[in-house]
Amino acid sequence: MNLRVMEKEDLPLFAEWANKPEVFGEYNPLHQMSRIEAEKMFESPLELKPFIIEKKDGSKIGFVSHFHVLHVAGKLLEIGYSLVPSERGKGYCTEAVRIMIDYLFLSRDTMRIQACTDTRNLASQKVLEKAGFKKEGTMRKYLFIRGELRDAFLYSILREEWKEPKVLTRTS
Ligand SMILES: CC(C)(COP(=O)(O)OP(=O)(O)OC[C@H]1O[C@@H](n2cnc3c(N)ncnc32)[C@H](O)[C@@H]1OP(=O)(O)O)[C@@H](O)C(=O)NCCC(=O)NCCS
């Protein structure tokens, strides 16, 4: 698979994914995104562009996003990800997250990357653990999902735990 930054031509598909509850799955908040909002997100220099996960045949199957988390010390990044249902369970997300972690630690002066997931979302927890994240604890009633506040696990990987690129090399 290939992970590459989102281009303008990906916007219609991205907006389609954003509006399909099955792509974000049962453990993500429901939301809808208009074409205009998708375009604004894409054009804004403040928004970090998602990365598209592509299979070797060029088909687009999901994305990994990253964003800044407000913190007094700054330099805190969080990631999120989703795959179309037909491509799950084949290892694509784990590989994409590994590449994203390499990219972020190589390109950003951040000491930790975090992710949070509904405590029921076992597939997501597996992805994070396989990619080297550690579970830090439970954030109680952190996510509003399908009309209910749900507990979430907070995961992180520290730069010293990552140590060196696992997929990307420093010269490629
Ligand atoms: C979470 C998600 C991105 C995982 O993507 P994926 O490509 O299927 O992940 P991978 O194939 O790399 O790994 C999934 C692992 O979880 C396991 N898994 C999947 N469903 C599971 C379940 N219900 N219970 C336990 N383990 C499960 C798989 O067996 C696999 O582990 P393995 O490699 O040891 O066999 C995908 O399920 C998805 O898009 N879900 C909806 C959106 C979402 O929840 N995003 C995350 C929000 S925090």
Side-chain angles (χ1 to χ4, degrees):
M1 53 126 305
N2 186 35
L3 192 67
R4 60 153 181 86
V5 73
M6 181 176 167
E7 297 291 350
K8 198 164 190 176
E9 69 202 30
D10 301 312
L11 268 178
L13 179 63
F14 189 78
E16 193 187 312
W17 285 342
N19 292 325
K20 274 191 181 161
E22 62 267 33
V23 174
F24 277 80
E26 57 196 309
Y27 305 125
N28 262 314
L30 274 179
H31 55 82
Q32 297 285 289
M33 181 188 260
S34 68
R35 183 71 71 84
I36 296 291
E37 283 169 325
E39 278 169 18
K40 273 195 188 147
M41 177 275 289
F42 185 79
E43 303 293 350
S44 166
L46 299 174
E47 296 273 355
L48 304 174
K49 295 194 179 35
F51 279 65
I52 301 290
I53 307 173
E54 270 181 357
K55 290 210 304 192
K56 286 214 167 77
D57 65 7
S59 51
K60 302 166 191 180
I61 61 168
F63 65 89
V64 183
S65 53
H66 65 300
F67 41 94
H68 295 294
V69 181
L70 272 182
H71 187 270
V72 280
K75 299 181 181 175
L76 193 49
L77 286 171
E78 184 162 326
I79 60 163
Y81 36 79
S82 285
L83 246 70
V84 296
S86 59
E87 299 293 345
R88 291 178 193 160
K90 301 177 186 175
Y92 288 127
C93 191
T94 303
E95 200 182 341
V97 168
R98 283 186 178 132
I99 295 171
M100 196 68 181
I101 296 310
D102 279 359
Y103 169 69
L104 292 176
F105 276 133
L106 287 173
S107 64
R108 307 290 167 80
D109 181 16
T110 187
M111 68 287 279
R112 66 178 258 143
I113 299 165
Q114 67 181 47
C116 71
T117 177
D118 188 304
T119 55
R120 300 165 297 170
N121 195 346
L122 300 180
S124 179
Q125 290 160 41
K126 205 83 186 279
V127 165
L128 293 170
E129 281 160 18
K130 285 192 291 181
F133 282 71
K134 289 198 165 60
K135 193 195 285 180
E136 294 192 331
T138 308
M139 300 192 289
R140 296 178 300 158
K141 304 223 182 275
Y142 186 74
L143 298 169
F144 189 68
I145 296 180
R146 308 298 192 268
E148 288 180 355
L149 284 165
R150 289 283 175 182
D151 293 351
F153 290 138
L154 176 64
Y155 278 83
S156 70
I157 181 166
L158 304 180
R159 183 176 284 280
E160 65 246 38
E161 292 162 347
W162 168 76
K163 291 190 185 94
E164 60 184 15
K166 308 292 180 295
V167 186
L168 299 182
T169 66
R170 281 172 197 278
T171 50
S172 64

